[in-house]
Amino acid sequence: MAQKKYMLKGLLVLAVIATGLALPLMNTPSNVGNRLIVATTTSTADTGLLDYLKPYFDEKYSADLVWLSLGTGQAIAVAARGDCDLLLVHDREREDEFISSGNGVLRVTVMYNDFVIVGPPDDPANASGTDAIRTMRKIAESGASGGCVFVSRGDGSGTEALEKKLWESSSVCGFLLSGWYLSAGSGMAATLRVANELGAYTISDRGTFYKLKDSINESLSLVVICENDSRLLNPYGVVLINSSLYPNINSDLAQKFLLFVTSPEGQDLIGNYTVGGRQLFFPIYGQTEKIGLPREYETIAYIENLRKGG
Amino acid sequence: MGPSGSGKTTLLRLLDGLEFPDSGEIYVGGKRLTMESAPKIRANVGAVFQSPVMFDASVYDNVAFSLRFRGFPASAIKKNVEEALKIVQLEDEAKRNALTLSGGEAQRVALARVLVYNPELILLDEPTANLDPSNSMIIESVLREARSEGKTVVLVTHNIFQAKRLADKMALLLAGEMIEIGDKKTFFESPSDSRTRRFIDGDLVC
Amino acid sequence: MGGLEIFIDGTIRAVEIILSGNPEIFQITLLSLRVSLTATLLGALFGIPVGYLVAIRNFPGKSLCIAVINTLMGIPPVVVGLVVYLMLSSDGPLGFLRILYTPSAMVIAQTVLTFPVTCGITISSIISLNPRLKETLVSLSAPRFWEAVILINEIRIGIITSFITAFGAAISEVGAIMMVGGNLLGYTRALTTAIVLYTNKGEFSMAIALGIILLILALFVNLTLTALQMHYRRHKG
């Protein structure tokens, strides 16, 4: 007699199938062995830089480089919980804070690129130039009289941090609730698209802006309004996380990654990476004074010492 | 017997321990039926209510469940279920889904579902209401057989002719009160209550 | 490219990917399918018994309990992601499991999402069953266990509906698995998180292509489940 499948059987079948499906998933924890988890910003992940570096690093150290593409704010929060092995971000103030609170042990500038202030081609605020402060003031003035709109990332990212700093230096305040200032709460590419739709101004890292421009050039009408101001420099730092606080992190491989990106080979690779014929990141390890930043003597000495020891 | 709303179904539900009396006591097979004793007593009571509910499973399984509930071994289940289906003449429908059965066939499965565990007391609520004669005949013959095996059958029916055919003892309920109870002969020929007389004669009483 | 061109290009690329069996996309697709199916089944494994007990038992606060479960059906995946992340994080109470940023973490997060779906649908299916079914079971002296077996068998069409709903919710969500899986290349990258990544990169046609693949995948799973449902319905006559 053909018996129907009853509950016990049914649940048993469910359990067996679920286990069968789940077993191949139950591999090793994500951050043991040779896997290195870098928490980084959308600007390094989404521009493809890490995709480019991965095979070189993986081969050299038999490693598996993976990354979490987050806003700087979330990246640092994730690191502060010990959920990644290394930070590669671009918000100097918060990086320093991370170090001084004891969560991080070392921070070094490895590369930079720069921000550009972009806006509609007709530049209604008449803000174009090479003085970021002037541009920001012009945008605020025009915005206050209804002449233009500014879109902010609004996601706690390093880009937003820079934007806030620029407003501060331009002595523009009280803009948060004004009609011309919109907070997108999104990543860089999404914010650029919002600004593009609205014919608005925004601040973007150069890499993401050109990457987007190349991939959807017909529909992205935004142009660069202001560039080449030292205030728009965007240095990227690698931060080693305090392994005595988080014994589970792969600090050994994290150190190797630090040595890799600061090595001549790593620095060359960064400099050689181009998108659509444009260089997006500029290696600057050990030469920060060249872009008007203080030289990082102690950190460099420490790293070079490590290199010799390894 | 009794008119609609007189309490026939309620009486059966009380006897099956599905409801409990607000006052008074119920004894089944000499044991007092209470909330605590109900499960034990009920195990030996089989009830078939009006338009019985079929489980969404084969006819075979519908009957077999009663034995599975009681932890019978598989071989005994097979033998008893096949026997019970034969009694209600549904042995050829064993594999059919019970939800596809006609009303008469469902009544018969419900009866088999009860017969299969061989209860001492069988409660039936209008088992042949709205059924065609062939289905009614099968059910009546099953009931006769059960009686001949010494089981007690409590049958609620509207049908005076059916009552005459099947009953040993008769009772009449009116508005929740049992106004007449006695053997069939006395009930029909010399009832003690005048309302029973009128009921038998086909007058409307309530 | 204009919007329509992106869509057309995306469709062409989807066909190309399917025909060429691109190993990276294949792996991503397989992971999505495996994680979401496992989560659906695990959600059912807990949801059906819990839903059954909630529906069948009478206890104080039962209505509130059902309302809570139904509300949880609408919980934003990213909230689930955040909560599960905080649980599994090194600093969290379950940090010792060391499964953050693994497919297992993704399964856990999605199971939290599918559980209320299966549970809620089980509750409403059981509650809407003919009350005489339960009475018949009592009358036939069905022990509790068998009562559950039969009543759950009665609602199997509803349970398949809950599978369809739960799987749909799992395979299409991105907030939870992004948070606890981390979208790690070759490891925890699923279709939806890859779509977000390609969108962020501005590679819209690739995002569309993956979207189409996801829909095809969901279609196949639903076709199977719907066929099963129809099969049961036909048997009911």
Side-chain angles (χ1 to χ4, degrees):
Chain A
M1 191 75 215
Q3 296 277 322
K4 291 236 163 202
K5 298 173 199 88
Y6 291 108
M7 184 187 72
L8 192 64
K9 272 194 206 163
L11 287 183
L12 214 66
V13 169
L14 282 188
V16 169
I17 301 177
T19 333
L21 281 166
L23 271 182
L25 297 172
M26 302 295 166
N27 4 37
T28 50
S30 59
N31 49 351
V32 298
N34 63 346
R35 180 171 278 126
L36 177 71
I37 302 181
V38 178
T40 187
T41 65
T42 46
S43 52
T44 54
D46 297 357
T47 50
L49 175 68
L50 288 171
D51 289 295
Y52 174 74
L53 293 179
K54 177 178 165 64
Y56 297 99
F57 178 73
D58 283 4
E59 198 191 9
K60 185 157 184 174
Y61 296 100
S62 325
D64 179 16
L65 173 66
V66 293
W67 52 91
L68 303 165
S69 168
L70 311 166
T72 301
Q74 196 187 350
I76 291 178
V78 162
R81 300 186 62 85
D83 292 328
C84 63
D85 304 317
L86 190 76
L87 270 174
L88 173 60
V89 288
H90 60 128
D91 183 352
R92 187 62 199 263
E93 270 173 37
R94 269 185 287 185
E95 289 162 33
D96 288 342
E97 220 176 275
F98 189 77
I99 302 280
S100 61
S101 64
N103 286 318
V105 289
L106 180 148
R107 185 252 165 231
V108 66
T109 309
V110 293
M111 63 187 188
Y112 75 99
N113 60 9
D114 63 345
F115 287 103
V116 286
I117 302 175
V118 297
D122 59 342
D123 189 14
N126 195 18
S128 107
T130 53
D131 181 348
I133 300 299
R134 183 187 161 271
T135 300
M136 296 302 267
R137 280 199 186 126
K138 281 282 187 189
I139 292 170
E141 278 166 25
S142 168
S145 59
C148 71
V149 175
F150 183 89
V151 181
S152 165
R153 284 279 289 274
D155 61 348
S157 60
T159 311
E160 192 191 353
L162 174 101
E163 175 213 315
K164 293 276 141 68
K165 221 157 63 189
L166 284 177
W167 289 126
E168 212 181 295
S169 322
S170 321
S171 335
V172 175
C173 53
F175 50 81
L176 270 178
L177 292 173
S178 52
W180 61 272
Y181 184 89
L182 300 176
S183 186
S186 312
M188 195 65 258
T191 304
L192 278 168
R193 286 198 297 276
V194 172
N196 189 52
E197 286 300 317
L198 299 176
Y201 293 89
T202 190
I203 298 178
S204 169
D205 64 282
R206 195 183 284 273
T208 309
F209 175 69
Y210 281 115
K211 182 97 198 293
L212 199 63
K213 189 114 178 129
D214 285 339
S215 59
I216 56 167
N217 52 351
E218 281 159 44
S219 50
L220 192 74
S221 61
L222 295 178
V223 296
V224 172
I225 297 292
C226 175
E227 58 186 335
N228 298 334
D229 182 321
S230 66
R231 274 170 291 232
L232 292 174
L233 279 179
N234 181 25
Y236 284 79
V238 167
V239 181
L240 284 186
I241 298 165
N242 189 347
S243 60
S244 57
L245 274 182
Y246 309 106
N248 284 335
I249 66 168
N250 201 336
S251 55
D252 183 47
L253 209 49
Q255 209 173 74
K256 284 182 176 144
F257 185 81
L258 173 73
L259 293 178
F260 172 72
V261 290
T262 54
S263 70
E265 183 201 357
Q267 291 280 295
D268 282 351
L269 284 171
I270 291 171
N272 290 340
Y273 180 62
T274 57
V275 171
R278 270 191 208 90
Q279 183 178 353
L280 296 184
F281 298 94
F282 300 86
I284 197 69
Y285 168 72
Q287 308 166 19
T288 39
E289 68 278 10
K290 279 195 181 167
I291 53 168
L293 295 174
R295 192 171 158 82
E296 297 160 346
Y297 290 107
E298 275 175 43
T299 320
I300 293 164
Y302 181 82
I303 292 171
E304 292 314 315
N305 201 30
L306 263 183
R307 203 189 304 281
K308 274 184 229 142
Chain B
M1 304 194 69
S4 299
S6 59
K8 304 183 299 282
T9 301
T10 307
L11 177 65
L12 289 192
R13 291 173 59 83
L14 287 166
L15 288 174
D16 199 25
L18 296 176
E19 284 177 37
F20 295 93
D22 295 328
S23 63
E25 292 175 354
I26 295 172
Y27 289 86
V28 173
K31 289 188 207 87
R32 174 148 181 233
L33 184 66
T34 62
M35 200 104 59
E36 290 71 40
S37 68
K40 212 166 166 204
I41 293 173
R42 207 189 280 128
N44 233 342
V45 175
V48 178
F49 291 96
Q50 265 188 293
S51 36
V53 183
M54 291 290 108
F55 304 123
D56 184 359
S58 68
V59 166
Y60 179 93
D61 281 334
N62 262 273
V63 179
F65 280 139
S66 304
L67 298 180
R68 292 187 187 135
F69 297 164
R70 289 164 171 77
F72 276 55
S75 56
I77 291 177
K78 191 167 184 317
K79 184 169 152 282
N80 287 313
V81 172
E82 278 166 6
E83 239 166 59
L85 285 176
K86 207 171 226 159
I87 294 173
V88 298
Q89 300 182 24
L90 280 171
E91 64 268 36
D92 296 333
E93 307 290 347
K95 284 184 177 166
R96 229 168 105 187
N97 185 300
L99 297 185
T100 65
L101 297 173
S102 71
E105 290 165 330
Q107 269 301 348
R108 281 148 64 192
V109 171
L111 196 53
R113 200 156 69 180
V114 161
L115 291 174
V116 76
Y117 63 87
N118 203 20
E120 296 290 325
L121 172 63
I122 300 176
L123 310 169
L124 295 144
D125 195 356
E126 305 267 11
T128 60
N130 307 317
L131 295 194
D132 58 73
S134 69
N135 272 314
S136 303
M137 261 167 71
I138 295 171
I139 289 174
E140 285 191 14
S141 77
V142 171
L143 294 183
R144 265 190 218 99
E145 169 122 12
R147 191 189 58 182
S148 72
E149 284 170 13
K151 295 188 193 314
T152 310
V153 177
V154 177
L155 174 75
V156 162
T157 180
H158 266 109
N159 184 332
I160 288 188
F161 303 108
Q162 184 174 55
K164 279 183 177 162
R165 281 197 298 275
L166 294 173
D168 298 317
K169 283 176 90 177
M170 298 282 300
L172 180 64
L173 276 173
L174 271 184
E177 196 188 337
M178 196 173 284
I179 61 161
E180 185 86 41
I181 183 159
D183 62 66
K184 180 162 70 176
K185 198 166 150 51
T186 325
F187 184 92
F188 281 109
E189 289 168 12
S190 50
S192 58
D193 196 299
S194 63
R195 288 171 292 177
T196 312
R197 179 82 266 155
R198 282 166 48 214
F199 180 80
I200 296 164
D201 290 346
D203 281 352
L204 294 172
V205 284
C206 58
Chain C
M1 266 191 277
L4 196 60
E5 283 93 335
I6 288 174
F7 185 76
I8 293 167
D9 189 44
T11 313
I12 294 169
R13 291 183 76 165
V15 173
E16 276 172 10
I17 290 167
I18 293 167
L19 292 182
S20 70
N22 177 327
E24 189 190 322
I25 305 297
F26 180 75
Q27 192 206 14
I28 290 174
T29 309
L30 198 68
L31 181 76
S32 267
L33 186 66
R34 230 155 57 180
V35 165
S36 295
L37 273 182
T38 312
T40 306
L41 293 175
L42 284 178
L45 202 60
F46 298 111
I48 295 171
V50 172
Y52 174 78
L53 287 176
V54 169
I56 215 80
R57 294 276 169 87
N58 286 316
F59 54 90
K62 175 170 168 164
S63 307
L64 180 70
C65 178
I66 294 174
V68 167
I69 289 168
N70 287 335
T71 307
L72 288 178
M73 277 199 220
I75 193 168
V78 66
V79 173
V80 172
L82 183 55
V83 171
V84 175
Y85 164 72
L86 291 173
M87 291 289 134
L88 298 180
S89 164
S90 291
D91 269 3
L94 299 176
F96 67 91
L97 292 175
R98 319 259 300 112
I99 56 169
L100 187 64
Y101 304 136
T102 65
S104 308
M106 298 161 80
V107 169
I108 291 174
Q110 289 201 338
T111 302
V112 175
L113 283 169
T114 57
F115 169 80
V117 175
T118 333
C119 192
I121 295 179
T122 302
I123 292 174
S124 61
S125 304
I126 293 276
I127 285 179
S128 51
L129 278 176
N130 182 350
R132 289 188 56 206
L133 262 173
K134 174 134 199 276
E135 203 171 272
T136 306
L137 287 166
V138 171
S139 177
L140 291 172
S141 305
R144 283 229 166 96
F145 168 75
W146 277 101
E147 187 175 300
V149 171
I150 288 175
L151 291 184
I152 288 175
N153 177 56
E154 294 287 325
I155 61 160
R156 58 191 195 271
I157 288 181
I159 285 178
I160 295 173
T161 306
S162 80
F163 278 15
I164 292 174
T165 318
F167 179 76
I171 194 85
S172 63
E173 74 86 20
V174 56
I177 53 170
M178 181 69 100
M179 199 86 188
V180 303
N183 193 26
L184 302 183
L185 177 66
Y187 191 51
T188 57
R189 185 160 300 169
L191 277 172
T192 50
T193 55
I195 289 171
V196 170
L197 179 66
Y198 282 115
T199 307
N200 284 345
K201 284 183 167 183
E203 295 179 30
F204 294 161
S205 53
M206 192 62 186
I208 293 280
L210 293 188
I212 290 170
I213 290 173
L214 187 138
L215 280 180
I216 293 172
L217 191 68
L219 181 69
F220 271 107
V221 172
N222 280 334
L223 273 178
T224 315
L225 289 172
T226 309
L228 197 63
Q229 211 170 28
M230 286 306 179
H231 170 81
Y232 284 150
R233 204 160 277 160
R234 210 169 309 124
H235 271 247
K236 272 192 172 181

